[in-house]
Amino acid sequence: MTYVRRTSTISANSPSTKFHHPNPFLDDHGHMLTQAQKDALKQLTFEHLSLQRLFTLQQQPQTITQLDDAELVEFLTIANSFYRDGQPLISDHDYDHIALAELKTRQPSHPFLHTVEPEPKFTGKTVELPARMLSTEKAYTDKELSDWLKRIHKAANEIGRDPAGLQFRITPKLDGFAAFDDGDRLYTRGDGRRGTDITRAFERGLVVANNQPRGLGAGEIVVQRSYFAANLAQDYENPRNFQASVVKEKALEPAVEQALGNQAVVFYPFSTLPYRVRRSDDLIDSVAALSRELRASLDYDMDGIVIEITDDELKTYMGATRHHHRWQIAYKQNQEKAEVKVLQVVPQTSRSGRVNPVAEVEPTRLSGALIQRATAHHYGMVRDKGIGPDAVIELTRSGEVIPKIIDVVKAVEPQIPASCPSCDTELFWDSDYLYCPNNTGCPAQISHTIEHFFRTLGNIDGFGPATIEKLYTNNIRTIDAVYGLQADQLEGMGFGPKQSENLVNELQRSRHEVIEDWRFLAAFGVFRMGGGNCERLLGHHRLEEIFELSEEQIVAIEGFAERTAEVVVKGFARIRPLFDKLQALGFNLQRTPLVSELQASGALNPIAGKLLVFTGTMTHGSRDDMKAEAKKLGAKVGASVTGKTDYLVTGDKVGASKLNAATSKGVEILTEEQYLKLIGTTISSAKEQS
Ligand SMILES: NC(=O)c1ccc[n+]([C@@H]2O[C@H](COP(=O)([O-])OP(=O)(O)OC[C@H]3O[C@@H](n4cnc5c(N)ncnc54)[C@H](O)[C@@H]3O)[C@@H](O)[C@H]2O)c1
Ligand SMILES: [Zn+2]
C-alpha cells in the first residue's frame, strides 16, 4: 500500500479545540472533515490508518470493504468514537450497511459486534446501572423483521403462549444521547452495565419532557426538532452534535445555555413516549405507516421505531445477549432519496476560479444524517433546470457527506451570481461552468491555492482555512511568503504565542521531513496534475526537467492525452516562479524511481506494462497459471493477436493462424523458453518453485 502510515498520535498542534463546528467546508477535493473532526482526530492514535486514508474512506465509503481486517476494526472504532461525540464521520446507513456488515461477513464472532459500542469517556463517578441499557438489534427490511417475529413466536410456543395473542409496543426510536435517571442522579449508558454520573446536565437546566417527574429510568437527551431548525442549524451540523455538548464537562456554550433556558433540550424517558400497540398478524404491514404517524406526533428527531413485546414473562424467558435484548428490535427504513425545498443557491469560488453552486436546503433527514446543503454539478445545471429559492429538488445520498441533486421537481427562476462572491469581479461562462477571471487577486482563489498546497503536502498541521484566512487579511498571500514567516510576526497578527511557535515549527517540519517529489509537484495544483499523474510523469522525467518538456514528450507517457499535455505545459510555465522559490527553501524530496532504471535493475520485470498473448500447450504450467503469473508481473494478457500486442508466447501445437497474424502485425513471437528467460526464470527453476 502506498499511503503514508502514521504510527503515533498525529502531532498535537490544535489551536483552541472548538467542540461544535460551524458549517463544514468543502474543498476542491470534496474533503469534508470539519475542523472539530480534525482536532478530534489529533487525539486519536492510529496504528493502521492514516489521515489521508480516512479522508478517502469518508469520501468513498464503498472502499471500506477493501480494508484489511485490522484496518476495518480500527476504522469502526474511529467512526464510533466520532459518532458518540456527536460528529459522525460517515452516515449511519454506511456505518451499518458497509462497515459493520463487512465485519459481520468476515468475522461474525468479532467482539466489536457483540458488545455495546463504547461511549466517549466523561469525567464523573462510574456506577452500576440499576437496569441494563443495551444496544438494539436492527431490522432494515421486512424480511429481517419477520425473522425476528419468528424467533419471538418460537419462544412464545416454548413457554406455552399463543403467538397470535402477543402484543407489540411500538415507540419512536429517539436519536439522542442515552441516559438513565434514577431520580437522584443521571448516568450515561456507558458499556451498558456501568455508566458515568452526568447529573450536571440537570443542574444546568435540563428538564424531563412533558413535565414528567424524575426517576423514570432509561431515556434520551434530545433537542426539539423545530427549535434546532430555527436556532441551531446554522451552527451545529446535526442534533447529535449539539446534544452531546449538553453533557460534556466543559463550560456550556452560549447556544447550549440558551436552549436549556428555553427548555428546548429535554430528558425523554422511554416509558413516557407516545406508543402504538399491534398484534403479530398486522405488525409487519403497519410498521411503515406507524413510523410516519409517530414521526408526525413528535417534535424530536427519530431514527426508526422500536418494537418490543409486552409480555413480561416472555421477556424474562428470552433475555438478552451482551449486545441487545432479544425481545426488542429497532426497525429502520432506508431512506436514500428525499425531496427538499431549496432556501438559496450559494456560489463558492474554487482554487481554479471555477464558481461552484451549493444549494442550501431545508434541514432534512436522509439515511441517518441531517442534510442542509446539496451540490449541483455546475451552474449550467442551475441555469437549465431552474434551481433557486423555493425550488424543490430530489436528493440522493450515495455515500458522500454532501448529497447530490439528482432532479428538480419544481423549477423556479434560477439563482445565478453575476459577480464573484469573493472578489466581486464579473463572472464569465465557459460552456456549463462559471468562472471568476481574477486569478491573481481573488481572495478565494488565493486562499484555496494555499490550502491545497499544504493539504497535498500532507506533512504539516495547522494551516487550515481559518489560519490561511487570517494570514490573507494580514497580507500574506503567497506560499513562499508563508514560509518566510517568523513567530513574532505571527504574534503580531493575533496568533497566540504557543500557536505562533507551533506554526513556525510545522513549516520547518514540512521542509525537513522526507516527502515524495510527486506529492510536492501535485501540491502546486496544476490542472490535470493530481498525485497520480505527477507520479506517472516523474516515472519518466526528473522533477528538474519538467519545465523543459514538450507536449510530444508528455503525450508519449501512457495516460496523457494530447489535450492534457497542452494544458500541463502551460500550467508548468505558470507555476515556475513559485516552484523555483520553494525549491530553493530546500525541501527534503524523495525522487520517484524512473521506470527505465527499475527495468535496468531488474526491479521491474521487462514484461511489466506489455500486452501478451499465450497460445499452444505450455510445459511450465497450465496456460492459465502462466497468464496469472504474467499479470502478477504487471503484464496485460490478451486473447487474440492485434496490432497492440507486444509478444505472442507460443507453446506446443500452435495454430498457424495465430502465428500468421503475429507475423503480419509485426508482433514479436517468443517460444516458451525464450519467454521464461525474459521474465527471469527457467523451466526447471519454475518447476522447483511450484
Ligand atoms: N455514523 C456512524 O459513524 C456511526 C457510528 C457508530 C454507530 N452509529 C449508529 O448507531 C447505531 C448503534 O448505536 P447504539 O448501539 O448506541 O444504538 P442503537 O441504535 O442500537 O439503539 C439503542 C439505544 O436506543 C435508544 N432508544 C431510543 N429510543 C428508544 C425507545 N423508544 N425504546 C428503547 N430504546 C430507545 C436507547 O438509548 C438504546 O440505548 C447504529 O444504528 C449506527 O448506525 C453510527
Ligand atoms: Zn473572484
Side-chain angles (χ1 to χ4, degrees), residues 349 353 355 419-425 427 435-439 441-445:
T349 308
V355 180
S419 61
C420 173
S422 179
C423 69
D424 217 23
T425 308
L427 302 176
Y435 286 92
C436 162
N438 185 12
N439 298 115
C442 177
Q445 293 187 46

Side-chain angles (χ1 to χ4, degrees), residues 392-629:
V392 177
I393 56 180
E394 187 177 315
L395 297 182
T396 180
R397 213 160 164 265
S398 48
E400 304 86 353
V401 177
I402 291 204
K404 290 203 172 64
I405 299 176
I406 46 174
D407 205 5
V408 177
V409 181
K410 181 188 153 203
V412 296
E413 180 73 22
Q415 188 179 22
I416 294 171
S419 61
C420 173
S422 179
C423 69
D424 217 23
T425 308
E426 193 180 328
L427 302 176
F428 71 91
W429 285 97
D430 182 5
S431 74
D432 278 335
Y433 294 92
L434 262 185
Y435 286 92
C436 162
N438 185 12
N439 298 115
T440 51
C442 177
Q445 293 187 46
I446 295 169
S447 308
H448 288 151
T449 302
I450 301 178
E451 272 169 44
H452 174 86
F453 183 84
F454 289 120
R455 195 176 45 239
T456 312
L457 281 194
N459 63 358
I460 179 163
D461 287 325
F463 288 86
T467 304
I468 288 168
E469 196 186 313
K470 201 159 176 177
L471 292 176
Y472 186 93
T473 48
N474 283 284
N475 271 315
I476 302 297
R477 299 177 181 184
T478 59
I479 297 158
D480 56 309
V482 175
Y483 274 100
L485 287 168
Q486 304 297 323
D488 52 349
Q489 253 175 302
L490 285 161
E491 275 190 60
M493 297 174 188
F495 293 97
K498 183 83 191 119
Q499 192 188 0
S500 302
E501 198 188 303
N502 278 338
L503 288 173
V504 172
N505 287 343
E506 285 292 318
L507 287 169
Q508 256 170 21
R509 174 163 81 98
S510 81
R511 285 189 286 126
H512 295 157
E513 258 182 26
V514 179
I515 178 168
E516 302 96 324
D517 58 358
W518 58 261
R519 206 184 284 280
F520 180 71
L521 179 58
F524 288 84
V526 170
F527 189 53
R528 295 275 158 87
M529 291 303 284
N533 268 356
C534 286
E535 193 170 9
R536 215 163 290 142
L537 181 87
L538 295 181
H540 291 88
H541 303 279
R542 295 296 195 194
L543 184 63
E544 51 275 18
E545 295 162 8
I546 60 165
F547 298 107
E548 324 307 334
L549 291 179
S550 66
E551 285 176 31
E552 292 70 40
Q553 282 173 299
I554 295 178
V555 175
I557 302 169
E558 202 192 75
F560 286 85
E562 245 163 72
R563 250 199 68 94
T564 308
E566 194 186 320
V567 292
V568 168
V569 169
K570 282 199 192 122
F572 283 160
R574 187 176 53 77
I575 62 157
R576 179 148 204 188
L578 178 65
F579 184 92
D580 288 345
K581 278 189 208 155
L582 292 187
Q583 240 223 2
L585 295 175
F587 280 84
N588 193 355
L589 300 182
Q590 182 183 53
R591 278 181 187 279
T592 302
L594 293 174
V595 173
S596 56
E597 284 175 355
L598 288 175
Q599 262 161 352
S601 73
L604 204 61
N605 203 279
I607 63 165
K610 298 281 196 275
L611 179 57
L612 273 58
V613 173
F614 289 89
T615 184
T617 316
M618 302 291 169
T619 47
H620 168 50
S622 77
R623 209 155 68 195
D624 283 342
D625 288 345
M626 290 188 70
K627 283 184 188 173
E629 182 183 25

Side-chain angles (χ1 to χ4, degrees), residues 244-477:
S245 69
V246 176
V247 296
K248 289 257 159 150
E249 48 273 28
K250 52 180 75 171
L252 290 183
E253 289 168 29
V256 182
E257 220 163 327
Q258 208 167 11
L260 283 165
N262 288 323
Q263 308 211 334
V265 194
V266 301
F267 173 72
Y268 210 131
F270 298 138
S271 60
T272 66
L273 277 169
Y275 67 94
R276 303 285 185 274
V277 176
R278 287 289 180 279
R279 291 193 186 272
S280 298
D281 51 0
D282 61 352
L283 179 68
I284 291 177
D285 288 339
S286 55
V287 283
L290 284 179
S291 187
R292 280 196 298 274
E293 209 179 299
L294 288 168
R295 190 182 302 275
S297 73
L298 198 69
D299 192 17
Y300 298 96
D301 255 322
M302 55 186 266
D303 172 28
I305 51 180
V306 173
I307 307 172
E308 59 191 49
I309 53 177
T310 54
D311 186 317
D312 282 334
E313 211 173 313
L314 185 53
K315 276 189 184 175
T316 312
Y317 176 71
M318 292 189 76
T321 69
R322 265 180 300 161
H323 179 263
H324 60 262
H325 297 288
R326 293 198 180 89
W327 42 263
Q328 187 184 52
I329 197 162
Y331 180 77
K332 296 187 178 189
Q333 260 181 327
N334 298 332
Q335 196 200 350
E336 282 291 276
K337 279 186 192 167
E339 287 183 8
V340 298
K341 193 158 128 192
V342 175
L343 301 173
Q344 58 170 337
V345 183
V346 181
Q348 281 183 351
T349 308
S350 74
R351 175 167 65 82
S352 64
R354 183 182 285 176
V355 180
N356 299 314
V358 177
E360 292 185 351
V361 301
E362 269 183 357
T364 306
R365 196 154 269 282
L366 193 60
S367 60
L370 191 80
I371 305 300
Q372 303 190 58
R373 59 191 75 75
T375 51
H377 213 61
H378 42 51
Y379 263 106
M381 178 175 182
V382 173
R383 173 191 65 197
D384 300 340
K385 298 216 158 191
I387 307 175
D390 285 334
V392 177
I393 56 180
E394 187 177 315
L395 297 182
T396 180
R397 213 160 164 265
S398 48
E400 304 86 353
V401 177
I402 291 204
K404 290 203 172 64
I405 299 176
I406 46 174
D407 205 5
V408 177
V409 181
K410 181 188 153 203
V412 296
E413 180 73 22
Q415 188 179 22
I416 294 171
S419 61
C420 173
S422 179
C423 69
D424 217 23
T425 308
E426 193 180 328
L427 302 176
F428 71 91
W429 285 97
D430 182 5
S431 74
D432 278 335
Y433 294 92
L434 262 185
Y435 286 92
C436 162
N438 185 12
N439 298 115
T440 51
C442 177
Q445 293 187 46
I446 295 169
S447 308
H448 288 151
T449 302
I450 301 178
E451 272 169 44
H452 174 86
F453 183 84
F454 289 120
R455 195 176 45 239
T456 312
L457 281 194
N459 63 358
I460 179 163
D461 287 325
F463 288 86
T467 304
I468 288 168
E469 196 186 313
K470 201 159 176 177
L471 292 176
Y472 186 93
T473 48
N474 283 284
N475 271 315
I476 302 297
R477 299 177 181 184

Side-chain angles (χ1 to χ4, degrees), residues 84 90 96 135-136 138 171-174 189 220 332:
R84 305 288 157 192
I90 54 171
D96 292 341
S135 188
T136 45
K138 283 154 205 85
T171 49
K173 184 166 186 299
L174 292 176
R189 185 178 80 177
E220 300 237 342
K332 296 187 178 189

Side-chain angles (χ1 to χ4, degrees), residues 19 29 67 86 145 172 190 215 283 288 315 382 458:
F19 174 63
H29 297 261
L67 296 175
L145 189 57
L283 179 68
K315 276 189 184 175
V382 173

